[in-house]
Structure formats: C-alpha cells, structure tokens
C-alpha cells in the first residue's frame, strides 16, 4: 500500500579515461547514452534515451553537469 521513495544514488566513472557521450543513429534517430574511452575510442553503452527526462536521469545518476557531446 505504501511505496518506498526512490533515492537516486550518484555513481562515479573514471573521468580521466572516459567521457560521457550520446551515440545517435542517423537512420532511425535512436539515442544511447554511455561513455567513450578517450585513448581508444571504445564506447561503453549505459542506457537508451527515449526522452529528455531519461537524459536528465542519466546526467543526475553520474553527476554530469552541462551538455553531453553527441556522436554519430
């Protein structure tokens, strides 16, 4: 009957070697948030972005301020 309030836990990532990016598909417009390795260019997928709310949740989950770069 009563639900527990969800608390958002801020996770951390290695910002020395990884940067947050949004990978966008040119064909169907799909967006995936994740992290790109600065030295190798590898992409680690985190979550699918279907709305602005999900993007804000991703940013608050990892404590990201400002704009997130989009790559195609």
């Amino acid at each position: 009957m009563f639900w527990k309030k969800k608390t958002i836990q801020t996770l951390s990532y290695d910002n020395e070697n990884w940067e947050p990016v949004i990978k966008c598909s040119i064909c169907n417009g799909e967006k995936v948030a994740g992290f790109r390795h600065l030295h190798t260019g590898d992409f680690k997928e985190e979550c699918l972005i279907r709305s602005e709310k999900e993007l804000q949740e991703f940013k608050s989950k990892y404590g990201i301020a400002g704009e997130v770069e989009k790559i195609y």
Side-chain angles (χ1 to χ4, degrees), residues 5-57:
K5 189 174 183 181
K6 285 186 179 179
T7 57
I8 297 175
Q9 179 183 7
T10 304
L11 301 175
S12 63
Y13 64 96
D14 181 13
N15 58 1
E16 302 262 334
N17 295 314
W18 295 89
E19 69 174 338
V21 294
I22 298 174
K23 192 172 186 178
C24 302
S25 172
I26 296 172
C27 299
N28 58 13
E30 182 180 80
K31 297 178 187 175
V32 178
F35 297 96
R36 178 175 59 184
H37 196 273
L38 294 173
H39 306 292
T40 63
D42 291 340
F43 181 74
K44 183 168 59 170
E45 186 176 305
E46 272 305 309
C47 63
L48 180 66
I49 302 295
R50 292 175 292 225
S51 67
E52 186 66 29
K53 181 182 175 190
E54 290 180 342
L55 176 60
Q56 294 303 321
E57 288 174 0

